Amino acid sequence: ADYLVRPLRGHDAPPIGDGAAAVVLAAGDTARRLCTRPAWIRGIDHRVEPHALGVRDLTDSPSTRLAAERAGAFDAPVDTAELHAPFTSQEVVLRKALRLGDDVTVN
């Protein structure tokens, strides 16, 4: 694809547009009643990286690694991961921080 801004090409960036997401949370009994295979949240943590240019290493995401540790993501094998990585370079950084091998399916 053509360059949007070097080094990013059209296929490296997300589509431009408005979007939204929703998550329905339900307690165990209700979740089982609403669907046959509910997903269980086993841990949660939230972190952010500094946004100012030059303040951090753009090839690493220590906040992602720390959030994963605190949420218990390294306590069991992972077969699928849903990442918010709108740019292809971000997927590489997040896979490394989360220790996701090539055998892990990523959205």
Side-chain angles (χ1 to χ4, degrees), residues 78-99:
V78 174
D79 58 5
T80 305
E82 178 75 27
L83 304 178
H84 176 67
F87 297 93
T88 53
S89 57
Q90 291 172 325
E91 181 180 333
V92 174
V93 172
L94 292 177
R95 276 184 170 273
K96 177 180 152 192
L98 295 170
R99 304 176 194 155

Side-chain angles (χ1 to χ4, degrees), residues 10-96:
H11 59 267
D12 292 317
I16 297 170
D18 294 330
V23 175
V24 176
L25 299 177
D29 293 344
T30 303
R32 286 185 188 92
R33 192 176 74 250
L34 292 174
C35 65
T36 56
R37 293 187 62 213
W40 303 109
I41 297 172
R42 304 251 184 239
I44 190 166
D45 193 79
H46 182 266
R47 307 283 167 163
V48 295
E49 306 283 2
H51 288 83
L53 292 174
V55 176
R56 67 184 180 100
D57 177 2
L58 297 177
T59 66
D60 192 20
S61 183
S63 69
T64 299
R65 192 169 23 265
L66 181 59
E69 288 171 3
R70 298 282 169 84
F74 300 135
D75 296 343
V78 174
D79 58 5
T80 305
E82 178 75 27
L83 304 178
H84 176 67
F87 297 93
T88 53
S89 57
Q90 291 172 325
E91 181 180 333
V92 174
V93 172
L94 292 177
R95 276 184 170 273
K96 177 180 152 192

